[in-house]
Amino acid sequence: MMSINKGKEVAEGSSILATVAGTADGARVGAGGVGDQRNPPPLSRYESQKRRDWNTFGQYLRNQRPPVALSQCNANHVLEFLRYLDQFGKTKVHLQGCVFFGQPEPPGPCTCPLRQAWGSLDALIGRLRAAYEENGGLPETNPFASGSIRIYLREVRDSQAKARGIPYKKKKKKRNPLKANEVSSSFPIQQP
């Protein structure tokens, strides 16, 4: 029997693409032992996710008909990839006609689709943007840095916030307000 919640076994907080690639931690089975001196130190979680995401995106391009060379990849390919990933999403996004549209905690189930969460897509694009340049791509030609990608992510964020009834609030940078009795500088202003 096939599970409806395919991919739920992926560790919480792991990359979107771990579900697509079929591993939770990007681990590969190798011939080297634990004490093998030839193995480089293990990658950080971020670096592992970035490598896995980059490899999965490359595989996605190779699976296109006809296959797309990385040098020919543009923002449209990235947008298609993001839409493709929605089928692996775990975030319920209520449609406008749904009785639960705009409710942060709906009281019952509905047939609205599961999608990738905006925050996951935003983090994915950040990792792919970095990986593109680390793999020899020029910042000027980086398809992950395209304005159309930023617009798409903004639209996803806004639509998901509206569907949940929770407006997105950009986090403000904390400022240290000066108290009235504190001097703002080591050079006090001289009063005439």
Side-chain angles (χ1 to χ4, degrees), residues 22 30 32 62 70 82 98 114 139 144 163 169 175:
R62 287 188 294 278
L70 192 58
L82 294 176
C98 178
L114 293 173
F144 304 101
K169 293 177 184 159
R175 292 179 48 181

Side-chain angles (χ1 to χ4, degrees), residues 127-167:
R127 290 190 299 271
L128 289 172
R129 184 177 182 170
Y132 179 85
E133 293 175 19
E134 288 173 10
N135 285 283
L138 298 173
E140 305 83 46
T141 61
N142 191 333
F144 304 101
S146 167
S148 60
I149 304 300
R150 285 193 299 277
I151 290 168
Y152 176 79
L153 289 174
R154 188 178 318 128
E155 289 171 354
V156 168
R157 180 193 71 199
D158 294 346
S159 69
Q160 289 185 4
K162 203 177 285 185
R164 292 178 56 219
I166 302 172

